[in-house]
């Protein structure tokens, strides 16, 4: 199981939210590139980046921090938040980002996803499926759509998508455990690379995900709150790949 330590950025800083609420924010570091270097130095093989301002406003806000992160590490990074056009994808990839995560736009315009996969390849395009009460949320998690997580994943598969980041919003930033059952259901019923996001509180949660056959897990607050040692986690889970 691949691990994706996460760096969420707001106003150029490394932060964490609870359940996606912008009013409930904790700042962990003013220089997120230092966090990225720490991840790499401790064995991480991929970093998950989120431009929180971009997700809310629909355009990139933390470009300088993102560019700095990419320039300071030698491992691949994926980025989500505010990516709504082909030009956005081109710009982000030009920074040196390895994979681009599309969320809101994938819900409103599936044809955009098809175009992106055809133009950039399935290894460059990741779809973010963020769900609340079973339905996919959009616009920085501020609104709920009428699509279920499973129907969304199946639609994305038809469009050539291979990688999906699935977030249970109710779990995000709560250190209450991930939604293993739903992540397993999505993995089993789609055959896609479903990456679990939200709620990982310790190594036992990672063991539960791995035992369920989940392909990847994003870890955020548990690292920042010293509940997971990233070096130990990489040694235990990625070396099983």
């Amino acid at each position: 199981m691949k691990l994706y330590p996460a760096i969420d950025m707001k106003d150029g800083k490394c932060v964490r939210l609870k359940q996606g609420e912008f009013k409930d924010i904790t700042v962990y570091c003013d220089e997120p590139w230092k966090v990225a270097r720490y991840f790499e130095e401790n064995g991480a093989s991929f970093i998950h980046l989120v431009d929180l301002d971009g997700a809310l406003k629909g355009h990139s806000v933390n470009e300088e921090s993102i560019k700095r992160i990419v320039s300071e590490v030698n491992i691949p990074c994926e980025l989500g938040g505010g990516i709504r056009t082909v030009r956005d994808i081109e710009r982000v990839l030009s920074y040196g980002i390895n994979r681009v995560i599309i969320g809101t736009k994938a819900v409103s315009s599936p044809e955009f996803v098809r175009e992106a996969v055809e133009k950039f390849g399935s290894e460059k395009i990741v779809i973010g499926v963020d769900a609340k009460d079973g339905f996919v949320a959009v616009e920085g998690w501020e609104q709920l759509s009428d699509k279920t997580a499973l129907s969304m994943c199946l639609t994305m598969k038809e469009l050539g998508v291979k990688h999906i980041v699935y977030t249970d919003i109710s779990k995000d930033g709560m250190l209450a455990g991930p939604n293993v059952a739903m992540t397993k259901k999505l993995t089993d019923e789609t055959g896609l690379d479903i990456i679990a996001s939200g709620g990982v509180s310790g190594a036992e949660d990672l063991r539960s995900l791995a035992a369920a056959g989940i392909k990847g897990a994003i870890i955020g607050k548990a690292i920042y709150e010293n509940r997971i040692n990233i070096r130990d986690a990489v040694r235990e889970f990625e070396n099983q790949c």
Side-chain angles (χ1 to χ4, degrees):
M1 183 172 73
K2 182 171 282 294
L3 302 181
Y4 299 82
I7 299 175
D8 291 5
M9 286 166 285
K10 179 169 175 52
D11 300 324
K13 300 173 182 179
C14 174
V15 306
R16 297 301 293 175
L17 308 181
K18 286 185 178 179
Q19 297 182 325
E21 292 289 343
F22 281 78
K23 65 178 180 288
D24 199 345
I25 189 167
T26 303
V27 177
Y28 285 102
C29 182
D30 290 341
E31 299 173 306
W33 50 90
K34 291 185 177 179
V35 179
R37 282 208 309 261
Y38 169 81
F39 289 159
E40 181 177 33
E41 289 164 0
N42 282 274
S45 60
F46 221 114
I47 297 175
H48 177 80
L49 305 176
V50 180
D51 181 345
L52 291 171
D53 298 294
L56 192 60
K57 297 177 181 178
H59 58 85
S60 184
V61 174
N62 293 284
E63 287 189 356
E64 294 311 312
S65 291
I66 294 164
K67 290 176 181 177
R68 180 79 180 267
I69 288 170
V70 172
S71 71
E72 298 250 354
V73 299
N74 296 305
I75 56 176
C77 299
E78 61 183 21
L79 172 68
I83 298 166
R84 310 280 168 84
T85 68
V86 168
R87 183 167 292 182
D88 288 340
I89 298 173
E90 290 173 338
R91 186 183 68 253
V92 167
L93 293 177
S94 76
Y95 302 162
I97 289 291
N98 186 266
R99 298 199 309 209
V100 174
I101 303 167
I102 302 169
T104 293
K105 185 72 173 184
V107 178
S108 63
S109 179
E111 280 306 309
F112 171 73
V113 175
R114 186 193 302 277
E115 179 185 359
V117 170
E118 290 177 354
K119 183 175 179 64
F120 302 103
S122 59
E123 290 305 317
K124 294 293 183 184
I125 304 298
V126 181
I127 301 303
V129 175
D130 308 327
K132 192 171 188 176
D133 300 325
F135 290 91
V136 179
V138 295
E139 304 295 346
W141 298 355
E142 297 286 298
Q143 301 174 26
L144 282 185
S145 73
D146 60 356
K147 295 179 173 62
T148 67
L150 179 57
S151 68
M152 181 71 180
C153 289
L154 290 172
T155 297
M156 293 302 105
K157 181 178 182 178
E158 292 175 4
L159 299 175
V161 169
K162 292 184 178 179
H163 307 283
I164 286 181
V165 172
Y166 167 67
T167 304
D168 183 327
I169 296 171
S170 69
K171 302 285 189 178
D172 191 63
M174 300 304 290
L175 296 173
N179 190 334
V180 178
M182 189 61 189
T183 312
K184 176 174 172 55
K185 178 182 176 69
L186 295 176
T187 300
D188 291 347
E189 295 197 20
T190 68
L192 296 172
D193 172 23
I194 306 289
I195 302 166
S197 174
V200 171
S201 63
E204 198 54 45
D205 287 334
L206 294 176
R207 293 184 189 110
S208 295
L209 289 167
I214 310 305
K215 303 293 180 63
I218 292 169
I219 320 168
K221 193 172 185 178
I223 297 174
Y224 299 106
E225 299 287 340
N226 297 313
R227 292 169 176 245
I228 288 179
N229 179 289
I230 188 65
R231 182 179 291 277
D232 292 345
V234 168
R235 187 179 297 122
E236 178 175 355
F237 297 100
E238 290 211 359
N239 289 349
Q240 295 178 2
C241 293

